[in-house]
């Protein structure tokens, strides 16, 4: 029984060896075919680049320009500097052209991958770049060649100039352009045209501060220069500014208005007014780092208006406290103003100023005058604050252009 089992194991081992031998013999032609493909590619590269020159424009008929198609694939928006007017983006270009000196007839090689410095390529550059002109791409980037058709995809961090308009901050939209030109060649030599895709943003990573509203691409011809302009319309994410700047500012402005609710006799009115004013000033100092350094924002004007309300409140409160303790008689013209304004209810009922002809006229004192001023100032500032806040928020949200 044991001998039978041993014989079966030996037979199984022989079967496995034979199967492995057969598989190895079958693999030899495949390996030979792979080696033959590599040899064919090596022979093709040697043949193509034996007399190839990177400084010669690779179209045989120089009476026709070299047509270069250009698309842009946007990977991410790194930032937008409002002070310097600089847009920083990450992405790569998809550049395509026909190289008539890199064509072949053999069917053994479908495509080649050649370092970008080994072939002719257009001297594309970012015309409105923020830094000095540099060559696109890197040494390790390979260009794909498919029987004359060249596909080149240089990856870059683009720093371009952008005109910033912060009028409607933090609900502003910015329109920035990336202008690519062939720097040295004339339009009769190299003609840059936009591709079918324009700007592709399918693979773009979302930015925490900016979102893309729309994109466009166009080709322009100015004199002897051809260029392709990619346009990005960006919308600022306003949630952070609403909860950390706008709402606290509105609350502080509302607290400033309610200074006039406190009576002068409480002894806390001036302290309350100064506390609110200083709180507003300190808060502006803290949030100044979050606001754009450029001028002309409606929200900046709104902050200055609220700061002006605070200054008026402190000054009026100081004057009221001084007036509240005056011992002199209230002038008749002041009494007339108060009585004409129907504010005699602010006086105490047991005070009599004139009983001539048996008519009771309530006595008007300086505390009554300060109470009248509080009443008037409260409603003036409250209505002004609500109206100003509403108008500014509508202008910012709807991005309305004012004539001033």
């Amino acid at each position: 029984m044991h001998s039978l089992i041993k014989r079966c194991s030996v037979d199984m081992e022989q079967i496995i060896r034979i199967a492995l031998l057969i598989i190895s013999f079958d693999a030899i032609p495949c390996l030979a075919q792979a080696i033959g493909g590599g040899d064919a590619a090596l022979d093709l590269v040697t043949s193509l680049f034996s007399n190839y020159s990177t400084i010669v424009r690779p179209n045989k008929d120089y009476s026709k320009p070299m047509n270069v198609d250009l698309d842009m694939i946007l990977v991410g928006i790194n930032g937008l500097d409002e002070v310097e007017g600089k847009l920083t983006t990450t992405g790569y270009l998809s550049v395509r052209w026909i190289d008539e000196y890199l064509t072949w007839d053999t069917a053994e090689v479908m495509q080649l991958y050649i370092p970008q410095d080994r072939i002719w390529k257009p001297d594309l550059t970012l015309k409105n770049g923020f830094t000095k002109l540099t060559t696109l791409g890197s040494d390790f980037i390979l260009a794909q060649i498919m029987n004359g058709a060249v596909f080149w995809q240089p990856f870059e961090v683009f720093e371009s100039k952008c005109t910033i308009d912060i009028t409607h901050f933090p609900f502003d939209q910015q329109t920035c352009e990336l202008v690519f030109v062939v720097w040295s060649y004339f339009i009769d030599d190299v003609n840059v045209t936009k591709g079918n895709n324009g700007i592709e943003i399918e693979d773009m990573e979302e930015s925490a501060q900016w979102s893309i509203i729309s994109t466009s691409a166009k080709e322009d011809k100015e004199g002897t220069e051809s260029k392709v302009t990619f346009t990005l319309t960006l919308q600022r994410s306003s949630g952070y500014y609403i909860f950390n700047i706008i709402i606290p500012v509105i609350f502080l402005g509302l607290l400033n208005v309610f200074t006039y609710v406190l009576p002068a006799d409480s002894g806390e009115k001036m302290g309350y007014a100064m506390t609110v004013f200083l709180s507003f000033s300190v808060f502006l100092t803290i949030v100044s780092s979050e606001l754009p350094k450029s001028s002309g924002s409606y929200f900046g004007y709104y902050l200055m208006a609220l700061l002006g309300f605070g200054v008026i409140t402190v000054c009026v409160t100081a004057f009221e406290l001084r007036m509240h303790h005056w011992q002199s008689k209230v002038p008749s013209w002041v009494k007339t103003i108060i009585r004409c304004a129907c504010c005699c209810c602010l006086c105490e009922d047991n005070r009599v100023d004139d009983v001539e002809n048996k008519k009771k006229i309530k006595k008007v004192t300086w505390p009554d005058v300060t109470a009248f001023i509080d009443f008037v100032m409260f409603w003036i500032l409250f209505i002004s604050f609500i109206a100003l806040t509403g108008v500014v928020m509508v202008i910012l949200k709807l991005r309305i252009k004012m004539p001033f």
Side-chain angles (χ1 to χ4, degrees):
M1 183 69 179
H2 290 287
S3 61
L4 181 60
I5 294 174
K6 184 176 181 180
R7 184 181 302 172
C8 292
S9 62
V10 172
D11 294 339
M12 183 60 67
E13 184 178 357
Q14 291 179 351
I15 293 174
I16 293 175
R17 288 180 178 177
I18 294 173
L20 291 175
L21 186 61
I22 294 174
I23 293 174
S24 64
F25 276 113
D26 290 338
I28 290 176
C30 298
L31 182 61
Q33 183 179 0
I35 294 175
D39 290 340
L42 180 60
D43 294 339
L44 179 60
V45 170
T46 303
S47 174
L48 291 175
F49 289 92
S50 59
N51 295 319
Y52 189 86
S53 176
T54 59
I55 62 176
V56 177
R57 180 160 53 95
N59 53 333
K60 299 179 180 179
D61 187 359
Y62 268 33
S63 63
K64 298 180 181 178
M66 170 75 72
N67 293 318
V68 178
D69 292 334
L70 190 62
D71 287 320
M72 182 176 183
I73 295 86
L74 192 62
V75 176
I77 299 174
N78 301 344
L80 180 60
D81 192 325
E82 293 91 349
V83 179
E84 295 184 352
K86 177 175 67 174
L87 172 67
T88 306
T89 55
T90 300
Y92 59 94
L93 299 177
S94 178
V95 191
R96 301 172 298 277
W97 68 90
I98 300 298
D99 191 321
E100 297 182 2
Y101 295 122
L102 294 179
T103 59
W104 58 85
D105 297 330
T106 178
E108 296 184 13
V109 180
M110 299 298 297
Q111 60 186 1
L112 295 174
Y113 291 93
I114 305 298
Q116 66 171 32
D117 292 338
R118 294 288 305 277
I119 64 172
W120 177 94
K121 59 183 183 298
D123 55 340
L124 283 171
T125 187
L126 183 61
K127 184 178 181 180
N128 62 335
F130 206 82
T131 56
K132 65 179 182 179
L133 296 178
T134 56
T135 304
L136 294 180
S138 303
D139 295 338
F140 70 91
I141 293 181
L142 303 178
Q144 182 184 11
I145 304 174
M146 300 181 65
N147 199 6
V150 182
F151 301 89
W152 179 43
Q153 295 182 331
F155 187 91
E156 290 286 342
V157 176
F158 300 105
E159 293 183 347
S160 57
K161 296 179 181 179
C162 182
T163 302
I164 306 299
D165 181 11
I166 63 163
T167 303
H168 298 92
F169 173 86
F171 302 99
D172 54 325
Q173 290 184 359
Q174 306 297 337
T175 301
C176 300
E177 295 181 345
L178 290 88
V179 183
F180 291 94
V181 299
V182 176
W183 190 255
S184 301
Y185 288 99
F186 293 136
I187 190 173
D188 295 334
D189 299 324
V190 178
N191 182 29
V192 182
T193 59
K194 68 180 183 67
N196 297 326
N197 300 324
I199 300 181
E200 300 181 18
I201 59 174
E202 288 77 8
D203 298 331
M204 191 191 74
E205 296 182 1
E206 294 294 333
S207 173
Q209 188 175 3
W210 297 95
S211 58
I212 295 181
I213 300 299
S214 62
T215 63
S216 63
K218 64 177 181 179
E219 53 188 63
D220 296 324
K221 295 176 175 58
E222 296 181 357
T224 60
E225 178 183 76
S226 66
K227 62 183 180 180
V228 174
T229 302
F230 299 103
T231 304
L232 297 173
T233 301
L234 308 177
Q235 172 70 56
R236 189 191 301 270
S237 300
S238 57
Y240 171 82
Y241 300 97
I242 291 175
F243 289 102
N244 293 278
I245 296 179
I246 294 180
I247 293 179
V249 165
I250 293 176
F251 286 165
L252 285 176
L254 192 61
L255 289 177
N256 179 64
V257 173
F258 276 84
T259 303
Y260 298 102
V261 176
L262 294 177
D265 293 330
S266 65
E268 299 293 337
K269 189 168 186 177
M270 192 63 188
Y272 177 83
M274 288 300 301
T275 301
V276 173
F277 180 76
L278 291 177
S279 300
F280 191 79
S281 301
V282 172
F283 183 77
L284 287 183
T285 303
I286 295 174
V287 304
S288 61
S289 59
E290 302 293 338
L291 298 176
K293 303 303 183 293
S294 304
S295 61
S297 170
Y298 291 143
F299 186 70
Y301 298 147
Y302 176 70
L303 293 179
M304 290 301 101
L306 293 187
L307 188 62
F309 285 177
V311 172
I312 293 174
T313 299
V314 172
C315 295
V316 171
T317 301
F319 183 73
E320 280 184 351
L321 294 179
R322 180 73 175 178
M323 184 187 300
H324 187 78
H325 297 285
W326 282 351
Q327 300 299 325
S328 61
K329 186 179 179 181
V330 179
S332 58
W333 63 272
V334 177
K335 296 178 183 179
T336 303
I337 293 175
I338 295 178
R339 286 168 180 161
C340 291
C342 300
C343 292
C344 293
C345 59
L346 297 174
C347 305
E348 297 181 3
D349 294 336
N350 58 354
R351 295 182 183 179
V352 177
D353 183 54
D354 186 9
V355 291
E356 184 181 355
N357 298 326
K358 298 181 181 180
K359 291 182 179 179
K360 241 184 210 185
I361 302 176
K362 294 181 179 180
K363 184 179 179 180
V364 178
T365 62
W366 285 115
D368 297 327
V369 176
T370 58
F372 170 73
I373 294 176
D374 282 339
F375 178 81
V376 173
M377 290 300 298
F378 172 81
W379 285 109
I380 289 177
L381 287 186
F382 182 75
I383 294 174
S384 301
F385 172 76
I386 296 299
L388 179 64
T389 302
V391 170
V392 170
M393 292 301 111
V394 169
I395 290 175
L396 292 178
K397 188 63 177 176
L398 299 181
R399 291 182 289 279
I400 300 174
K401 290 292 185 181
M402 300 301 290
F404 52 85

